[in-house]
Amino acid sequence: MEHVPLTRRNCYFEAVSGSTGPTGSQASLREANSARIVDAVKRYGHITQVELAAATGLSPATVSNIVKSLQVQGVVHTQNTVRSGRRAQMVTLARATGLAVGTYIGRRALHVIVADATQEAIAEQVLPLPVDHRVDTTLDRAAMLVMELTEGLGAQLSELIGIGVALPAPVDPGTQRVAVRGLMRDWDQVDVRDVLSRRLDRQVVVDNDANAGAVAEARYGGLRGVSSGVYVRASYQTGAGIILDGHLHRGPHGTAGEIGHTQVSPQGPICRCGARGCLNTVVGADALIDLLRISRGPLSLRDLITFANEGDPGCRQVLADAGSIIGGVVADLATWSDLERIVVGGELVEAGDVFLGPMRDTVTGRPLLATSEITLLPSSLGERTEALGAFALAMDAFGQHYTTKESS
Ligand SMILES: [Zn+2]
């Protein structure tokens, strides 16, 4: 399902030419290529001409010609910009193509984004959530927030193409329900897609938060243009979203990337999943805070990060060790999957190199990875990553009829 811009020009070009029929006339080829470009601009919101060439497999000269004629037709806008120190032409759609919603229901916060494909019309809000928040009240708040933000844009619910929801638990791609019992109290009993689609009378797609994050990074962030990479979410719990050969890899049960349930402590405590010594029991927020109970008394995860950034040696030690331990698990994943890049998001990243330094050292310290020139960097999308990913998933799932209409 998931596509990121690849640089396999020839494959894509052949596919486009092949679809024009046996005559392969110039006009129909150009039409197909125009549709390809419009589609890519819709998918990425803002994209430079150079990136368009990579995303569509067309030559820079063809992209430039088609963009010029699309501009004359009033389909796209272009604007001078700078990318990687060079002048570039940024291409956006000239008009809104309908609104979609991205909702991230996290362990401690609710984040909703309403936007169009260009992300020009955008409304966004974050609300804190209590520990172990109840599913009914949280879904009520999410529905209310979607209504308020949509109205704030001067739009109606009927104008929403669809709603994407990211949850901090594995989600079965078929049923779209929480795939493993016990990981998120009460949430595995509820059909979130059904509840929200009834409440808002719109189509809803549900996925895991790290998967949504990987989609956002592939489209708008650090995994853009990367064929195989991973988004690691280091937060109250740890998870990963895996992009393999340009596709999001969910697995048949939706549990791919659940690195929080990798065993790192064979004699350790029992995890919520029922297994012993999972990564989450060692670097989950509760475990990290427990380590500081004697020296600092009860803390929140936020306190821990703030104190580390202020130079507290105990808090820095806890986050550095967490970086090494998560790095070890991610290094295994990168070794098995042959990844090019690791992008890290979630609260722990706010401690910067205190956390990321040891994580990076552990990953690049593995001989197989050291020679592969793998890179590890923090998310550039910050706390918006998961909600933006949920937005992109909604656009992908329900935005198709807009694409078809304009391409035909
Ligand atoms: Zn577990």
Side-chain angles (χ1 to χ4, degrees), residues 323-329 331 357-366 369:
S324 294
I325 296 166
I326 296 173
V329 171
M359 186 175 177
R360 187 181 288 116
D361 290 346
T362 305
V363 170
T364 55
R366 295 283 180 90
L369 299 176

Side-chain angles (χ1 to χ4, degrees), residues 183 258 260-262 270-281:
L183 295 186
E258 284 296 314
H261 300 284
T262 306
I270 301 293
C271 175
R272 280 192 182 200
C273 76
R276 189 186 280 279
C278 291
L279 179 65
N280 280 337
T281 66

